[in-house]
């Protein structure tokens, strides 16, 4: 009859901050009440700039002060450290090409790339083994 009968939201905890303020609230309302109420008036491009480091090492988290500093930068919406220091690296689900240590979500790609490089520099001396 020309009506949508089923839809599947693809959702990852990596991106909600890029979708805009109150987006998560709108998703919850859609699920709970069947009502989509999200004013998509401030749409912007968003980027997830991912930092991979070599496999076979154990990494320490960068200083919390650095993460906070990067998150305060205009154009950065979040910095996510994506591994557990106390968990064996082999027990993290990672692609063969590298061990994902961080994600910088941003609305300015150049700012996100600069933040990723600062994180990379912080991870280099923090590698164990």
């Amino acid at each position: 009859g020309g009506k949508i009968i089923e839809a599947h939201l693809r959702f990852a905890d990596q991106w909600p901050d890029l979708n805009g303020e109150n987006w998560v609230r709108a998703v919850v309302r859609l699920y709970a009440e069947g009502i989509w109420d999200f004013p998509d008036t401030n749409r912007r491009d968003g980027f997830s700039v991912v930092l991979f480091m070599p496999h076979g090492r154990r990494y320490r988290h960068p200083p919390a002060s650095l993460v906070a500093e990067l998150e305060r930068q205009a154009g950065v919406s979040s910095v996510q450290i994506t591994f557990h220091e106390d968990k064996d690296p082999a027990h993290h689900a990672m692609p063969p090409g590298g061990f994902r240590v961080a994600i910088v979500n941003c609305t300015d790609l150049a700012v996100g790339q600069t933040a990723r490089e600062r994180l990379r520099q912080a991870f280099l001396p923090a590698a164990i083994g």
Side-chain angles (χ1 to χ4, degrees), residues 56-122:
R57 293 182 169 175
R58 203 176 261 274
Y59 295 96
R60 294 194 189 281
H61 289 183
S65 59
L66 173 61
V67 173
E69 176 189 337
L70 295 173
E71 286 180 324
R72 286 192 301 269
Q73 289 186 323
V76 172
S77 60
S78 70
V79 175
Q80 302 166 33
I81 306 304
T82 58
F83 69 99
H84 299 278
E85 286 182 322
D86 58 348
K87 186 175 179 181
D88 184 330
H91 294 135
H92 287 81
M94 297 290 168
F99 188 80
R100 187 185 67 210
V101 295
I103 299 167
V104 178
N105 280 350
C106 56
T107 55
D108 182 316
L109 182 57
V111 169
Q113 290 169 328
T114 299
R116 176 182 60 191
E117 178 57 25
R118 291 195 57 205
L119 284 168
R120 189 180 75 76
Q121 293 296 324

